[in-house]
Amino acid sequence: MGIRIIGTGSYVPDQILTNQALEQMVETSDAWIRERTGIGSRRITKAGTTDMAVKAAKCAVEQAGVLPEELGLIIVGTSTGDCLFPGTACEVQAAIGAKEAACFDLSAACSGFLFSLNTACTYLKSGEYKTALVVGADTLSKTVDWKDRGTCILFGDGAGAAVIRWEDSSGGIGPFIMKADGSRGECLRCSAMPLRNPFLDKEEDVFGYMTMNGQEVFRFAVKTVPEVLEAVLEKAGVLAGDIQYFILHQANERIISSVAKRIRQPVSKFPMNLEHYGNTSGASIPILLDELNRQGKFNRGDKILLAGFGAGLTWGATFLQW
Ligand code: UT7
């Protein structure tokens, strides 16, 4: 018995924000952004996180060939939902008609999809549910200060989704590893609603933009991602050379190349799409997964590693056999 991905989907908004357009907004250049990050453009939503999550979810459910009523569980990995409540997962449920599904959001920033996938798998393994929809959707464009060239060049909006099912077949998803270090939360942070009540001496009424210590996050990623990949390979009893694709969170081309070098694998095994979408946070892994799937890149039995990292700090990796 194993848990398999039976459908994937993704959605990115139509509006494209190029490096050239950013040159008009902050002191930067297309050459600098490309050289330091690998990013050429990103997408910006005018409709929000739920809209993107629903569109990605519909594609995944359609490809999976399941009825929405068959979904027992919906988890949306997001840190930028349109509302504090209801959760994005509940809104997705209503939009696709998944009446039977238990629904909740999971907040783990850029690790959001990976942690949601692992959580859904654990529920499926418990026998509680047979089929689940896992979505990663984020609107980072509303968290960045568009005057801060250290962050606004990096992020874009999007959503990706996967339908997973407990099946009578070998392989599947797992093992996985999830890690966090809350003591380093300050290096990538965005506050939510400010405190507002009549009992405060002074109300905090300013929405805080994202703040980031880019170099610290970079160092964290290039150290922890190779470590967690090695650890999950050992747990799975698989060699790095046996892996067809390493699907990493799309934050920075230099981070991905450095990880490839550190685990001594060719960078050609590390597909990337960040040139077109930038860092879409919790959406980056499922968007890439869906693109590769729809291009017919995966064969049954292919060994794949997923790895995510981001605010929290959080990071993790998941082994799966297609
Ligand atoms: O999901 C996780 C999310 N976060 C990340 O993945 C962030 C990881 N970190 C990074 O990707 C990189 O640290 C950045 C791309 C954010 C920055 O690249 P860097 O190579 O670490 O640049 P830096 O911060 O060391 O800055 C180098 C120089 C500085 O100028 P001086 O002091 O040398 O004169 C910066 O002021 O580049 C300058 N700079 C820029 N120049 C043009 C910083 N941002 C820009 C910019 N355009 N956008």
Side-chain angles (χ1 to χ4, degrees):
M1 297 291 282
I3 298 162
R4 292 194 46 236
I5 294 178
I6 58 167
T8 60
S10 61
Y11 173 79
V12 290
D14 292 337
Q15 185 171 342
I16 300 173
L17 176 64
T18 62
N19 291 348
Q20 287 75 13
L22 278 168
E23 287 174 353
Q24 310 304 313
M25 297 167 64
V26 289
E27 200 183 326
T28 191
S29 67
D30 175 53
W32 191 95
I33 301 172
R34 283 186 187 273
E35 193 201 315
R36 306 309 291 168
T37 71
I39 298 167
S41 62
R42 63 291 289 142
R43 303 298 181 97
I44 306 293
T45 180
K46 287 181 178 167
T49 300
T50 297
D51 174 78
M52 298 188 293
V54 167
K55 286 173 173 147
K58 281 183 175 167
C59 293
V61 170
E62 189 188 321
Q63 192 186 68
V66 297
L67 295 170
E69 296 82 0
E70 289 177 62
L71 298 172
L73 176 67
I74 300 175
I75 306 179
V76 178
T78 183
S79 48
T80 54
D82 299 345
C83 307
L84 288 179
F85 46 86
T88 311
C90 294
E91 297 189 311
V92 170
Q93 181 215 35
I96 67 173
K99 295 185 195 72
E100 304 302 324
C103 304
F104 59 88
D105 292 358
L106 189 152
S107 172
C110 300
S111 308
F113 176 80
L114 195 82
F115 282 24
S116 299
L117 180 69
N118 297 339
T119 304
C121 284
T122 308
Y123 276 102
L124 262 56
K125 272 188 199 145
S126 78
E128 196 64 39
Y129 308 109
K130 192 172 184 308
T131 310
L133 168 68
V134 185
V135 183
D138 268 311
T139 305
L140 268 285
S141 63
K142 70 179 176 187
T143 69
V144 297
D145 176 355
W146 288 97
K147 294 188 180 79
D148 174 17
R149 68 176 183 172
T151 52
C152 75
I153 56 145
L154 294 175
F155 298 97
D157 304 331
V163 176
I164 61 173
R165 189 161 62 193
W166 179 238
E167 282 193 344
D168 189 5
S169 64
S170 60
I173 306 172
F176 54 77
I177 296 174
M178 296 191 283
K179 308 281 272 183
D181 180 0
S183 72
R184 288 200 282 165
E186 282 304 319
C187 67
L188 185 45
R189 184 182 179 88
C190 184
S191 58
M193 280 187 77
L195 277 175
R196 284 190 309 209
N197 66 55
F199 313 106
L200 290 166
D201 296 334
K202 185 173 171 287
E203 284 193 3
E204 307 164 20
D205 58 358
V206 182
F207 172 79
Y209 290 113
M210 166 200 297
T211 54
M212 181 178 78
N213 180 334
Q215 288 183 1
E216 193 175 336
V217 177
F218 193 98
R219 281 194 296 273
F220 145 74
V222 298
K223 179 173 184 296
T224 56
V225 176
E227 283 173 2
V228 80
L229 285 175
E230 303 274 13
V232 86
L233 282 168
E234 194 180 327
K235 214 171 163 185
V238 174
L239 298 172
D242 297 331
I243 300 294
Q244 271 81 19
Y245 291 111
F246 294 84
I247 300 179
L248 267 50
H249 169 47
Q250 303 286 293
N252 185 318
E253 191 181 339
R254 288 191 295 138
I255 292 175
I256 297 174
S257 315
S258 165
V259 171
K261 203 168 161 194
R262 283 186 193 213
I263 66 162
R264 294 176 298 281
Q265 290 298 302
V267 77
S268 57
K269 283 188 175 186
F270 292 70
M272 294 183 223
N273 61 8
L274 54 83
E275 184 187 354
H276 308 294
Y277 308 133
N279 178 345
T280 56
S281 190
S284 84
I285 291 174
I287 291 174
L288 185 54
L289 197 65
D290 181 49
E291 283 185 350
L292 296 167
N293 185 24
R294 283 171 195 267
Q295 288 161 15
K297 295 278 167 106
F298 301 140
N299 295 307
R300 190 73 191 254
D302 275 357
K303 296 182 176 67
I304 296 165
L305 273 189
L306 312 180
F309 58 91
L313 297 171
T314 56
W315 67 103
T318 301
F319 172 73
L320 66 92
Q321 241 175 312
W322 194 255

